[in-house]
């Protein structure tokens, strides 16, 4: 009997595809249903942030950072203002620091919630879990709207503080929200974590061993799920993270299920941080006096934070003028996405979609 | 450990690579292009700097500069920043993809937007713009693009 | 001709006479299906509009369609880059007639904050005919709902006699731009 001849085929997925999280293309080489290789093609949302950032002045750049990872705008602003503050040696007032932490951690909850919702979407559980998760996003978005005036693009962090003090109703509503988060996560876990379908489709899919994860420069939940407890909030505490008590969640296997569990655990930790910050929130000023013309001294800095998706860094070069000389964004999604081919090889084509969902990318940030 | 101490230790440890000390907000180490891969190899294997966070190209009036931010996931300590200069005409540097695979896309991005070539890169093609685009947009002298298709 | 003189008295309660246009448009306006095509940040507000809080399903748009061939409305939700432009035009060409385009957000209208970018198309109306513009960065879900109601109004005002897509010589296909060395170029072999 002669052996059947097999041939690999190449198919194209995207850039418009319902499960690619935006405009992003994959070139898949398949042997039957099995993935032989994946080549991601990015750049479909390349909006020239870095070039426009050089034309804008330092203050104008903050709203642009909102549009990088549009699911977690506050974190982007946080990274940028911290980098500029490091460059210009500005110290924001205490109250502003606490407000920033509250906002950023609320953002982390939202981001992970959306990541979990989308993952379930990709597992074929269309929209119902996501509607549950988005309901909680709406609550946070209402808090943002109340403070900053915009649901999605708050432009709330300023160089040297925050743009406005918290409104009166913020504290009780935020408290109510944070108190409700653990209950909601329990509900979500009851619904999902022991669900057999979720277990079967996520266990041992897209395994990323720890050494490979570090080699590929992965950060955030992706790295921690592989069992490397590396969190910049602990490894190199910035702002006032050293004052809070929280744990780093880490996985063991590094598969899709671990990433899901790490996100769930991180939401609980974030809620804990917000609670502590609300408790310790001091009275006082929320911004240093603002200057209309802002000129930081010459020099270059790199500042990174633990954004919900991983390490978000800004490398800024100043030549002493009103505009940055170089404005580079080190985006977590962009770097994390590199590990996709490694994780997909040998799996079935349906798993590719789940693996993309588990990395948690935003195209605005991948392509900048 | 302060950055100065790190520098002194590295300079003593690797006498074969002449290093420059760049004072600044973030202290950096200046490396010659031809020594980059050798030093990077040592940094990863002997010094545990296993995580290359970001690779950035900067266009200065007299030179191109590529900045590497290295961290360690195993030990404490801030970044070690390596800076490498490339000349303005036909800038070319050795690639560090063999040492940190994460450099793959980042070097492609530097090539795409800044036009610095990396020798030894497995697949140095444009990543954000399309193949066939002329010029490197993040250079200061990039003329801007024109469309035939879009009017007004 | 009125209902009185054509309909026998026993059917008066059951038969309803209206212009063809009216019936035709009523059906179409109540079931505009958008294609699930998220481009950038605005896409997120579009998704939120579908969720239970804003409930797009009230207006007959049950679900975002995954394929352009099953949809008649394209919500361009975000920045269209030059790298993406050929795909956007191709998607539009794949949609069956009648088709509508809704430009959501400052970016889709004019390039928005990224207007100066070397890779940004300054407004999707440079590529496609746009029916409704929704300003905002991003527009709130309510304004998207309002825009959809405006679109319904437009659809109701159409008449079957002059609809361009029923004409014999109708050629609504848009030439797909190609990548050139400095930006988008006209497709080769195009007469214009
Ligand atoms: S209009 Fe604003 S929110 Fe919408 S895509 Fe453009 S930048 Fe993003």
């Amino acid at each position: 009997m002669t052996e059947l001849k097999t041939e690999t085929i190449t198919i194209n997925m995207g850039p418009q595809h319902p499960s690619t999280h935006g405009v992003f293309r994959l070139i898949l080489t398949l042997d039957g249903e099995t993935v032989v290789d994946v080549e991601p093609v990015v750049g479909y949302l390349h909006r020239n942030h870095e070039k426009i950032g050089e034309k804008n002045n330092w203050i104008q750049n903050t709203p642009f950072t909102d549009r990088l990872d549009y699911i977690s705008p506050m974190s982007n602003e946080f990274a940028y203002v911290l980098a500029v503050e490091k460059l210009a040696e500005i110290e924001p007032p205490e109250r502003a620091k606490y407000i920033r932490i509250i906002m950023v951690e609320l953002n982390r909850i939202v981001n992970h919630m959306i990541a979990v919702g989308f993952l379930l979407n990709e597992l074929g559980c269309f929209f119902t879990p996501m509607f549950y998760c988005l309901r909680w996003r709406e609550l946070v978005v209402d808090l943002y709207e109340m403070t900053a005036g915009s649901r999605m693009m708050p432009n709330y962090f300023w160089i040297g503080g925050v743009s406005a003090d918290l409104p009166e109703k913020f504290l009780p509503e935020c408290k109510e929200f944070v108190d409700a988060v653990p209950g909601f996560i329990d509900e979500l876990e009851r619904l999902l974590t022991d669900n057999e379908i979720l277990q079967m489709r996520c266990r041992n899919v897209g395994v990323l061993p720890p050494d490979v994860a570090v080699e590929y420069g992965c950060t955030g939940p992706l790295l921690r799920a592989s069992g490397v407890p590396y969190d910049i909030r602990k490894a190199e505490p910035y702002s006032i993270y050293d004052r809070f008590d929280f744990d780093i969640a880490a996985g063991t296997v590094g598969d899709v299920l671990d990433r899901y569990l790490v996100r769930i655990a991180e939401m609980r930790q974030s809620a804990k941080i917000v609670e502590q910050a609300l408790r310790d929130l001091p009275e006082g000023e929320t911004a240093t006096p603002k200057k209309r013309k802002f000129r930081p001294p010459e020099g270059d800095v790199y500042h990174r934070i633990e954004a919900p998706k991983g390490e978000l860094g800004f490398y800024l070069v100043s030549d002493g003028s009103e505009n940055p000389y170089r404005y580079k964004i080190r985006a977590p999604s962009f770097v994390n996405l590199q590990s996709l081919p490694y994780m997909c090889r040998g799996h079935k084509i349906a798993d590719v979609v789940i693996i993309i969902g588990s990395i948690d990318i935003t195209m605005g940030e991948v392509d900048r | 450990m302060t950055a100065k101490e790190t520098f002194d230790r590295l300079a003593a440890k690797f006498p074969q690579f002449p290093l420059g000390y760049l004072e600044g907000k973030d202290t950096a180490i200046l490396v010659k292009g031809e020594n980059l891969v050798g030093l990077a190899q040592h940094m990863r294997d002997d010094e545990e700097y296993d995580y290359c966070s970001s690779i950035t190209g900067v266009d200065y009036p007299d030179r191109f500069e590529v900045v590497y931010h290295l961290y360690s996931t195993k030990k404490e300590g801030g970044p070690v920043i390596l800076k490498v200069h490339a000349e303005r005409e036909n800038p070319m540097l050795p690639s560090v993809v063999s040492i940190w695979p994460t450099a793959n896309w980042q070097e492609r991005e530097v090539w795409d937007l800044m036009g610095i070539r990396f020798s030894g890169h497995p697949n140095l093609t444009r990543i954000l713009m399309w193949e066939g685009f002329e010029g490197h947009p993040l250079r200061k002298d990039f003329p801007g693009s024109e469309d035939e298709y879009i009017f007004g | 001709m009125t209902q009185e003189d054509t309909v026998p008295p026993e059917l008066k309660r059951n038969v309803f006479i209206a212009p063809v246009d009216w019936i035709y448009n009523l059906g179409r306006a109540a079931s505009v299906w958008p294609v699930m095509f998220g481009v950038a940040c605005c896409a997120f507000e579009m998704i939120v509009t579908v969720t239970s809080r804003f409930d797009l399903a009230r207006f007959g748009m049950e679900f975002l369609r995954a394929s352009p061939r099953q949809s008649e409305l394209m919500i361009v939700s975000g920045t269209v880059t030059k790298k993406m432009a050929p795909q956007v035009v191709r998607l539009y060409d794949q949609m069956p007639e009648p088709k509508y385009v809704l430009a959501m957000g400052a970016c889709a209208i004019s390039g928005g904050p990224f207007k100066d970018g070397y890779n940004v198309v300054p407004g999707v109306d440079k590529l496609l005919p746009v029916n409704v513009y929704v300003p905002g960065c991003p527009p709130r879900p309510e304004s998207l709902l309002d825009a959809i109601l405006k679109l319904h109004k437009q659809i109701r005002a159409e008449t079957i006699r002059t609809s361009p897509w029923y004409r014999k010589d109708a050629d609504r296909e848009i030439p797909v731009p190609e990548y050139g060395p400095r930006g988008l170029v006209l497709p080769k072999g195009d007469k214009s």
Side-chain angles (χ1 to χ4, degrees), chain A residues 317-351:
Chain A
V317 181
S318 159
D319 58 353
S321 70
E322 274 174 49
N323 310 43
Y325 188 77
R326 178 80 169 90
Y327 166 78
K328 140 101 188 187
I329 306 145
R330 189 269 187 209
S333 301
F334 179 72
V335 182
N336 288 353
L337 193 56
Q338 281 191 74
S339 59
L340 182 68
Y342 180 91
M343 288 194 275
C344 290
R345 276 182 211 126
H347 286 295
K348 297 276 181 273
I349 184 167
D351 296 333

Side-chain angles (χ1 to χ4, degrees), chain A residues 10-201:
Chain A
T10 308
I11 62 165
N12 184 39
M13 186 170 145
Q16 191 270 324
H17 189 277
S19 57
T20 48
H21 288 220
V23 282
F24 155 56
R25 190 171 129 218
L26 290 172
I27 301 172
L28 298 154
T29 313
L30 300 174
D31 180 5
E33 277 272 295
T34 314
V35 177
V36 180
D37 204 4
V38 182
E39 200 199 329
V41 181
V42 299
Y44 291 98
L45 193 53
H46 178 47
R47 294 191 284 190
N48 333 121
H49 273 278
E50 297 183 2
K51 188 79 177 177
I52 292 173
E54 287 171 13
K55 286 182 194 156
N56 289 345
N57 64 34
W58 293 92
I59 299 166
Q60 276 174 329
N61 268 334
T62 342
F64 279 83
T65 60
D66 282 341
R67 283 145 183 93
L68 281 171
D69 172 2
Y70 35 81
I71 296 176
S72 36
M74 291 284 189
S75 308
N76 305 336
E77 290 175 12
F78 195 31
Y80 176 69
V81 296
L82 281 179
V84 179
E85 280 166 8
K86 182 172 169 189
L87 185 66
E89 287 168 3
I90 298 173
E91 186 72 19
E94 279 293 295
R95 186 174 170 84
K97 285 183 187 168
Y98 276 87
I99 295 177
R100 285 176 177 185
I101 299 284
I102 294 171
M103 292 299 175
V104 169
E105 292 301 324
L106 285 177
N107 219 158
R108 197 182 308 274
I109 297 176
V110 170
N111 181 79
H112 287 353
M113 227 166 242
I114 290 170
V116 169
F118 267 113
L119 178 69
L120 266 293
N121 225 7
E122 256 121 42
L123 278 167
C125 186
F126 247 169
F127 278 112
T128 308
M130 198 162 87
F131 280 10
Y132 270 94
C133 296
L134 283 175
R135 195 182 73 204
W136 287 77
R137 174 187 184 259
E138 285 301 311
L139 297 178
V140 174
V141 168
D142 281 350
L143 291 176
Y144 284 175
E145 191 177 5
M146 172 195 301
T147 352
S150 172
R151 287 160 49 85
M152 245 178 108
M153 306 295 176
N155 187 16
Y156 182 55
F157 290 16
W158 286 21
I159 297 163
V162 293
S163 66
D165 202 350
L166 296 174
E168 222 169 84
K169 265 173 43 202
F170 182 90
L171 290 178
E173 291 203 7
C174 184
K175 186 90 186 61
E176 202 179 311
F177 172 78
V178 187
D179 290 343
V181 166
F184 172 67
I185 298 171
D186 288 342
E187 187 192 38
L188 201 66
E189 283 214 277
R190 265 206 311 284
L191 195 65
L192 303 174
T193 308
D194 293 328
N195 185 315
E196 203 167 323
I197 300 175
L198 187 108
Q199 291 273 348
M200 287 197 14
R201 287 215 49 199

Side-chain angles (χ1 to χ4, degrees), chain A residues 47 67 153, chain C residues 40-42 77-79 104-108 112-114 136-139:
Chain A
R47 294 191 284 190
R67 283 145 183 93
M153 306 295 176
Chain C
C41 349
C42 282
S77 52
T79 327
M104 178 179 183
C107 283
F114 302 101
C137 181

Side-chain angles (χ1 to χ4, degrees), chain B residues 19-119:
Chain B
L19 303 177
Y21 181 69
L22 297 176
E23 187 81 60
K25 286 257 156 35
D26 286 337
T27 312
I29 297 167
L30 184 65
V31 195
K32 284 219 175 70
E34 63 261 29
N35 295 333
L36 178 66
V37 176
L39 182 72
Q41 185 84 44
H42 280 293
M43 293 297 282
R44 190 196 63 182
D45 295 343
D46 311 337
E47 295 276 324
E48 295 189 320
Y49 282 95
D50 50 357
Y51 166 40
C52 175
S53 157
S54 92
I55 298 176
T56 312
V58 190
D59 176 5
Y60 288 110
D62 56 332
R63 62 175 196 272
F64 284 110
E65 189 174 277
V66 178
V67 190
Y68 299 80
H69 290 87
L70 311 180
Y71 288 89
S72 167
T73 55
K74 300 201 179 95
K75 62 175 192 188
E76 293 276 298
V80 168
I81 302 171
L82 303 180
K83 287 188 177 176
V84 192
H85 289 175
E87 71 268 31
R88 281 223 64 104
E89 291 298 312
N90 234 333
M92 177 86 134
L93 288 173
S95 164
V96 292
V97 175
S98 54
I99 295 155
W100 295 291
T102 175
N104 188 333
W105 281 21
Q106 304 207 24
E107 283 180 356
R108 276 175 74 188
E109 190 197 330
V110 175
W111 154 243
D112 186 355
L113 301 182
M114 198 58 92
I116 301 170
R117 273 181 193 286
F118 292 90
S119 59

Side-chain angles (χ1 to χ4, degrees), chain C residues 49 54-56 58-59 61 102 104 131-135 139-154:
Chain C
T49 318
F54 299 100
D55 200 9
L56 194 60
R58 282 179 291 170
F59 305 102
M61 311 174 97
L102 201 155
M104 178 179 183
N131 292 73
V132 184
Y133 295 88
V134 197
R140 297 181 55 94
E142 289 92 336
S143 40
L144 184 59
L145 291 180
D146 180 51
I148 284 166
L149 293 180
K150 288 230 164 69
L151 183 71
H152 287 180
K153 220 185 236 171
Q154 275 187 20

